[in-house]
Amino acid sequence: MARRFTWFNATSLTLGFAFLYLPILLVVLYSFNASQLVTVWGGFSGRWYGALLRNDALREAAWVTLRVAFLSATVATFLGTLAAVALTRYGRFSGRTLFTGMIYAPMVMPEVITGLSLLLLFVAVGLDRGFWTVTIAHTTFTMCFVTVVVQSRLITFDRSLEEAAMDLGATPLRAFLSVTLPLIAPAVAAGFLLAFTLSMDDLVIASFTSGPGATTLPMRIYSQVRLGVTPEINAAATLLIAFVTLGVTAAALLTKRAAQTQARL
Amino acid sequence: MSRSGWRKRLARAAVILPPYAWLAAFFLLPFVIVLRISLSDPASAQPPYRPLFDWTGGWDALMAFLGALDLENFETLASDSLYWEAAISSVTIALVSTVLLLLIGYPVAYGMARAAPRLRPLLVALVILPFWTSFLIRVYAWIAILKPEGLLNQFLLALGLISDPLTILNTPTAVYIGVVYAYLPFMILPLYAALERLDWTLVEAAQDLGSPPWKAFWTVTLPLSLPGVVAGSLLCFIPIVGEFVVPDLLGGSDTLMIGRTLWSEFFSNRDWPLASAVAVVLLLIVVIPIVFYREIEARRWEAR
Amino acid sequence: MNDTTRALRPAIGAVRRSFSPWTDPQARPLIRFESVTKRFGEAVAVEDLSLDIFEREFFCLLGPSGCGKTTLMRMLAGFEEPTAGRVLLAGQDLTGVPPYRRPVNMMFQSYALFPHMSVADNIAYGLKQDRLPRGEIEARVEEMLRLVQLEKLATRRPDQLSGGQRQRVALARALAKRPKVLLLDEPLGALDKKLREETQFELMDLQVRLGMTFLVVTHDQEEAMTMSDRIAVMDHGRIVQVATPGELYEQPRTRFVAEFVGDINILEGKVAGMEEGGWRVETPHASQALTVFDPDEVLGHGQPVAVAVRPEKMTIHRQRPQGPNVLEGEVWDIGYLGDWTVYRVHLGSGAVVRVSCANASRFVADPITWDERVFVAFAPDAAILLSR
């Protein structure tokens, strides 16, 4: 094979990853800065993490965010998995074109549009903005990502396994629950984690659809960032990065295990 | 229809209907409402637009309601050069950024595809990680770097490369840096997916038949990775057109982008009908590449 | 082969020798396809097909890929519903009965073993669907493991087994529910050549011992010939011929069957008349008309017909032999296969015939070699006349 890993390849990888990671590393580094001035290094300190703990507004926002993320990711995983099954198993049903359109469009739709349109819907039907409206909004745009993740697994899924289960006397539902679901579980879990992170990350849609008492962490951070960089935000950001890193690593391990099980067959 | 036939139909409905109904209610219906409000007039009331439709009014109320709708907001948009400039500048920034992303992302994706197979999952994880790290925080990180007294200027001054701090923050340059940085994973991943699938013996064959490496790249590798190039470009271009966070945090007040315009019409001016009209225009701008993308995806699916 | 099979050996022979329910007009078929048609959109997979399969038969559906044999089997399993016609099992119409309610089980081509379950759990899966008591399930799993000699691997996962072991698990899983019919989709396709041969005979013994009906789909004619009581050859969604392996080889009804099953030389010609019970066929490939004894065919004078001869039923000579049916040509190629030598002889007409000769002795003083002029002969009853 023409597999020569050239100097050009090595350089582009190094520069590319440096570009991707340097800014994040700087945020992490400066969260341990003792100085009040964000761009001057004043020694190593954990004081901003202490300040963070005492910041009730941020803590409360984090709690709202976690609740929204968990609830919306759960519903999104359920709906998204159903949608993935519908797309891979049911061939051409009436309205399929519209359905696939509605699955793909939210993923690329500018967030300002999704946010504004959902808000206008909530106002039109007289739903008070708050925790539930943010949760509904997040479910809507994250379920599409779940669908894509689960769908890509279902496409490579050997359908004869389900047929074998039915041939041995399992009803379609039992076949799905006892054979298909355990085997696609890693993809479903990965979809859940993706939905969870996307929800935790979202600023724009939450800003439109949230109301009093349901300020999410990104919204809180945004309003502080507009006033300038503070070491406290650096600390919050670092915690968020650590959280996501853990999540992504878990998801990667899950998919890796799934791929290995598949590869051994 | 036999009993098992009905059972099958019922099962299908139970699978398809919940996600379908959800998306119809929370994705499709809102667009209809946006369209309807974009044709209304602003009002200082709750909700802040007129006319409202009275369900109990019957036929006459419906006609009165429809009669009160007009294209006034779109006329405002068309006549005010501010909105024009915002739209044009959004598309320009998105186009230039997409080209920059391709130029930066392709060598990285190429390097990943040529790396040893056991390293590749790690490299992919390394690209995904920042993509999953808060968008807001990644943009925010650049404020501290690009500020006049920021880390980049400190660095350059210390090296003696410049004698006065550069002004980057609150300029279009900062917006480009931020957009390219934020969307780089979106570009690398599809490119990598296309390059990773590529059969490298084809490149060998091209070289065996007399192509020097650069020509083999130009005539074999690049054409075969074109689906990835198209997918990556659209995945970046579409959301960048409507980008709000980057221009808001890194751009100056003169950096006009349509997403930001929508935001300020809504939150600062509380002109919901005009904001809706801006959303309709933005939707028209992005719908063309979305349809284009759907076509390509559908063709890829069928080719499988 | 284990001891039980050895003990049963004479009984198996007796069953095989005397088994032919299809010749008995009183016999009731176990499986009946009644004018079955299956269309997928525009494409016709199975067209107006009728077929009877009897209890305890080892029946093969043989044909090239895309001939409809798998679709036919899947209609019996319940994964496809016929577009027209019906499928009956023991007299019961299966239309509308879902796969999980049919008393047939299938061994899938890919085996379709559940990768997240152990060997024992795979075998128990079907029994659990029937809600059998736990003790009975355990006993049955035990019995099945013994049957396929995998007792020691009960707790392994499918991905820790060899190809041959997986095949046995798939077999045990399908047999565990004691189905009325066992369907086997290309059962030996994934095995290597040596293992395939061994498994063929094991499957045959198993079938007689269990007294079950086996329906096998395969594209491998050797496999079909070795194992089956009867074979149905399919082409383009239709059955071309149903017969025992011997009949299929020696009395193929059409050119397709003749060419699909085994190797054959086809010489085109025209009927020139009948003499002493033999047909005379004029052909551009021989200087004199050929004589063929084929009582099955009724032909008209001047009708185009093909004379088909298997390579092993032809002989090759340096001198023109006495008797009818002599072709003259030049040796173009010689393939030495060890047990056989195959000669490709180029006739004056431009056609090429293959002649195979058993290598009965180890040394031949003056073997026929390349470019030699030779004569190829065959007996009148060695040839088949094919008008279709």
Side-chain angles (χ1 to χ4, degrees):
Chain A
M1 238 190 271
R3 188 165 303 292
R4 260 167 303 141
F5 190 70
T6 58
W7 274 108
F8 175 73
N9 294 145
T11 316
S12 44
L13 277 186
T14 314
L15 288 178
F17 282 108
F19 178 56
L20 278 177
Y21 279 92
L22 266 181
I24 299 177
L25 289 179
L26 285 173
V27 170
V28 174
L29 182 68
Y30 274 83
S31 74
F32 294 105
N33 189 2
S35 162
Q36 175 82 47
L37 295 166
V38 277
T39 49
V40 181
W41 184 250
F44 203 80
S45 154
R47 65 185 272 217
W48 301 115
Y49 289 88
L52 195 63
L53 275 179
R54 288 185 295 275
N55 187 332
D56 288 338
L58 270 185
R59 233 183 32 220
E60 199 175 306
W63 178 231
V64 170
T65 307
L66 282 177
R67 270 161 52 218
V68 168
F70 182 79
L71 198 60
S72 67
T74 307
V75 181
T77 305
F78 176 72
L79 291 172
T81 305
L82 283 185
V85 172
L87 285 179
T88 38
R89 292 300 160 77
Y90 291 147
R92 312 213 162 272
F93 51 88
S94 53
R96 185 189 163 98
T97 316
L98 178 65
F99 192 53
T100 43
M102 291 195 300
I103 292 290
Y104 287 110
M107 290 193 289
V108 286
M109 191 58 68
E111 290 164 323
V112 282
I113 297 186
T114 314
L116 176 70
S117 62
L118 273 165
L119 161 78
L120 296 180
L121 171 82
F122 295 142
V123 171
V125 299
L127 207 59
D128 280 339
R129 280 181 281 158
F131 177 81
W132 290 105
T133 48
V134 185
T135 307
I136 289 174
H138 281 182
T139 305
T140 308
F141 91 96
T142 57
M143 70 170 275
C144 306
F145 289 87
V146 177
T147 304
V148 170
V149 173
V150 176
Q151 193 190 7
S152 64
R153 173 69 185 93
L154 276 176
I155 283 171
T156 60
F157 186 82
D158 181 6
R159 285 211 67 181
S160 64
L161 289 175
E162 253 171 52
E163 286 183 345
M166 282 194 264
D167 184 63
L168 293 167
T171 59
L173 182 63
R174 279 195 64 113
F176 184 81
L177 293 178
S178 67
V179 173
T180 315
L181 201 56
L183 290 172
I184 65 165
V188 175
F192 175 86
L193 284 174
L194 180 59
F196 191 89
T197 338
L198 285 167
S199 165
M200 282 209 359
D201 191 20
D202 168 67
L203 162 71
V204 175
I205 294 175
S207 298
F208 276 101
T209 54
S210 159
T215 307
T216 65
L217 195 57
M219 288 166 70
R220 183 68 67 194
I221 292 177
Y222 172 73
S223 63
Q224 293 206 7
V225 163
R226 293 208 55 164
L227 305 173
V229 178
T230 70
E232 210 175 318
I233 293 297
N234 280 338
T238 303
L239 286 181
L240 218 57
I241 290 167
F243 195 79
V244 169
T245 310
L246 275 177
V248 174
T249 316
L253 288 178
L254 278 177
T255 30
K256 196 175 164 193
R257 218 182 60 191
Q260 276 170 350
T261 329
Q262 227 190 334
R264 268 185 284 160
L265 272 185
Chain B
M1 176 133 318
S2 67
R3 260 183 62 209
S4 81
W6 278 114
R7 217 178 297 133
K8 250 183 216 166
R9 292 195 144 197
L10 213 66
R12 270 169 80 114
V15 171
I16 298 176
L17 270 183
Y20 207 125
W22 183 283
L23 286 171
F26 296 115
F27 187 71
L28 207 57
L29 182 61
F31 282 121
V32 180
I33 295 175
V34 169
L35 199 63
R36 166 243 187 276
I37 292 176
S38 74
L39 303 173
S40 312
D41 296 323
S44 45
Q46 202 47 261
Y49 51 86
R50 286 287 170 272
L52 295 176
F53 179 57
D54 180 11
W55 293 102
T56 56
W59 183 251
D60 292 339
L62 178 67
M63 288 325 277
F65 168 75
L66 289 177
L69 297 178
D70 55 42
L71 290 169
E72 200 184 318
N73 294 310
F74 292 96
E75 282 160 20
T76 311
L77 291 185
S79 61
D80 193 333
S81 67
L82 190 77
Y83 298 111
W84 274 108
E85 280 165 28
I88 291 169
S89 136
S90 293
V91 173
T92 317
I93 288 178
L95 274 178
V96 174
S97 309
T98 305
V99 173
L100 289 174
L101 280 161
L102 263 177
L103 292 178
I104 297 171
Y106 203 103
V108 178
Y110 188 74
M112 287 168 64
R114 299 300 293 257
R118 74 198 150 74
L119 278 181
R120 280 187 233 157
L122 177 72
L123 292 174
V124 172
L126 281 175
V127 175
I128 293 178
L129 195 58
F131 155 70
W132 278 19
T133 308
S134 173
F135 190 88
L136 184 60
I137 288 169
R138 286 187 293 139
V139 176
Y140 153 83
W142 283 96
I143 299 179
I145 298 173
L146 298 178
K147 282 204 300 193
E149 70 277 19
L151 299 165
L152 181 64
N153 276 322
Q154 286 180 23
F155 182 67
L156 294 176
L157 284 168
L159 283 183
L161 285 174
I162 51 171
S163 50
D164 295 308
L166 299 170
T167 312
I168 306 177
L169 193 64
N170 301 333
T171 67
T173 314
V175 175
Y176 282 120
I177 293 176
V179 165
V180 168
Y181 177 71
Y183 285 89
L184 192 55
F186 284 92
M187 183 57 96
I188 292 178
L189 288 176
L191 284 177
Y192 168 75
L195 285 169
E196 203 251 333
R197 264 203 304 268
L198 193 121
D199 180 1
W200 294 105
T201 53
L202 295 175
V203 180
E204 278 188 343
Q207 294 191 7
D208 181 63
L209 294 168
S211 282
W214 65 269
K215 207 168 183 181
F217 173 82
W218 195 251
T219 53
V220 177
T221 314
L222 190 61
L224 286 174
S225 62
L226 223 49
V229 172
V230 172
S233 301
L234 288 170
L235 275 178
C236 292
F237 177 83
I238 298 167
I240 294 175
V241 172
E243 185 50 54
F244 163 74
V245 177
V246 179
D248 192 59
L249 291 182
L250 301 180
S253 50
D254 56 335
T255 314
L256 288 172
M257 282 192 81
I258 197 161
R260 210 176 167 193
T261 309
L262 190 158
W263 181 283
S264 59
E265 285 303 341
F266 182 84
F267 285 106
S268 312
N269 301 347
R270 286 191 59 76
D271 191 338
W272 290 19
L274 195 62
S276 300
V278 175
V280 171
V281 171
L282 176 54
L283 195 63
L284 288 179
I285 295 178
V286 297
V287 110
I288 299 159
I290 288 180
V291 169
F292 182 56
Y293 184 60
R294 279 278 310 134
E295 270 305 297
I296 290 177
E297 278 292 299
R299 233 177 292 159
R300 271 241 315 267
W301 257 181
E302 271 155 33
R304 283 179 83 126
Chain C
M1 197 188 287
N2 60 20
D3 296 337
T4 4
T5 18
R6 190 158 294 127
L8 281 166
R9 200 49 255 178
I12 290 175
V15 171
R16 287 221 167 260
R17 269 198 304 275
S18 63
F19 183 74
S20 58
W22 53 89
T23 55
D24 176 7
Q26 302 293 312
R28 284 275 208 73
L30 176 65
I31 303 162
R32 166 163 268 177
F33 291 95
E34 225 174 60
S35 326
V36 169
T37 297
K38 177 68 188 177
R39 279 189 218 98
F40 293 104
E42 294 285 289
V44 182
V46 172
E47 197 169 5
D48 193 27
L49 180 149
S50 296
L51 175 67
D52 285 349
I53 298 171
F54 295 89
E55 201 169 346
R56 297 179 169 231
E57 224 184 319
F58 199 126
F59 196 94
C60 255
L61 295 171
L62 175 66
S65 60
C67 70
K69 56 188 193 297
T70 304
T71 308
L72 196 62
M73 175 182 269
R74 287 170 63 83
M75 282 194 278
L76 182 55
F79 297 122
E80 313 286 354
E81 285 284 329
T83 317
R86 354 180 258 168
V87 182
L88 299 139
L89 181 69
Q92 186 211 348
D93 186 355
L94 289 179
T95 309
V97 179
Y100 46 92
R101 300 256 162 75
R102 297 190 181 200
V104 297
N105 285 127
M106 184 155 166
M107 198 183 107
F108 288 74
Q109 183 174 7
S110 62
Y111 306 148
L113 297 179
F114 306 129
H116 56 307
M117 296 180 196
S118 70
V119 166
D121 285 341
N122 261 286
I123 297 174
Y125 187 89
L127 304 169
K128 282 183 189 156
Q129 303 309 317
D130 286 356
R131 313 238 150 108
L132 293 183
R134 191 191 285 184
E136 199 176 330
I137 292 180
E138 275 168 16
R140 195 87 74 85
V141 169
E142 193 80 346
E143 180 194 333
M144 286 300 133
L145 285 169
R146 221 175 314 118
L147 188 71
V148 296
Q149 300 164 48
L150 286 176
E151 297 100 317
K152 294 198 180 94
L153 303 179
T155 55
R156 293 256 189 112
R157 299 246 169 166
D159 55 16
Q160 299 164 324
L161 301 178
S162 72
Q165 289 166 339
R166 278 183 214 177
Q167 196 256 4
R168 286 153 182 274
V169 178
L171 187 64
R173 186 178 71 178
L175 285 172
K177 295 186 76 170
R178 300 193 179 133
K180 284 197 173 132
V181 185
L182 181 70
L183 310 177
L184 301 104
D185 189 1
E186 304 275 0
L188 310 173
L191 303 180
D192 59 50
K193 196 167 181 291
K194 259 226 157 92
L195 195 55
R196 199 173 343 174
E197 216 160 82
E198 230 170 84
T199 316
Q200 279 175 8
F201 289 104
E202 278 178 17
L203 277 179
M204 290 162 66
D205 282 339
L206 202 63
Q207 186 254 346
V208 175
R209 252 165 65 202
L210 298 173
M212 279 179 61
T213 312
F214 277 28
L215 176 60
V216 176
V217 157
T218 181
H219 69 277
D220 183 334
Q221 45 118 348
E222 251 183 68
E223 197 173 299
M225 301 277 280
T226 313
M227 297 192 295
S228 328
D229 291 313
R230 282 194 306 159
I231 298 171
V233 180
M234 289 185 69
D235 185 35
H236 289 106
R238 294 167 180 277
I239 286 181
V240 194
Q241 186 169 2
V242 184
T244 63
E247 286 167 359
L248 214 54
Y249 190 76
E250 304 297 358
Q251 299 158 45
R253 204 107 50 71
T254 71
R255 196 175 294 203
F256 176 80
V257 176
E259 288 185 306
F260 191 76
V261 179
D263 213 355
I264 204 155
N265 294 300
I266 300 235
L267 303 165
E268 309 282 350
K270 264 189 194 143
V271 176
M274 182 142 184
E275 251 172 35
E276 298 160 23
W279 295 96
R280 294 194 59 75
V281 178
E282 273 175 358
T283 155
H285 307 295
S287 47
Q288 290 168 332
L290 302 172
T291 308
V292 181
F293 295 139
D294 190 342
D296 292 348
E297 291 283 335
V298 180
L299 303 161
H301 190 84
Q303 186 182 341
V305 77
V307 177
V309 196
R310 303 268 179 209
E312 79 278 5
K313 294 186 173 66
M314 284 180 159
T315 49
I316 191 162
H317 312 268
R318 279 219 172 85
Q319 259 77 48
R320 177 181 281 274
Q322 292 299 306
N325 304 341
V326 177
L327 310 167
E328 197 178 340
E330 210 170 85
V331 176
W332 271 22
D333 277 307
I334 303 175
Y336 176 73
L337 303 176
D339 46 356
W340 295 88
T341 297
V342 177
Y343 300 91
R344 281 163 52 87
V345 178
H346 184 243
L347 304 181
S349 62
V352 175
V353 293
R354 281 177 311 257
V355 184
S356 53
C357 301
N359 293 325
S361 54
R362 290 172 61 212
F363 303 103
V364 177
D366 180 20
I368 288 171
T369 182
W370 274 266
D371 297 338
E372 256 190 85
R373 273 222 88 67
V374 291
F375 299 91
V376 172
F378 59 91
D381 59 0
I384 309 147
L385 281 181
L386 296 169
S387 55
R388 277 181 295 170

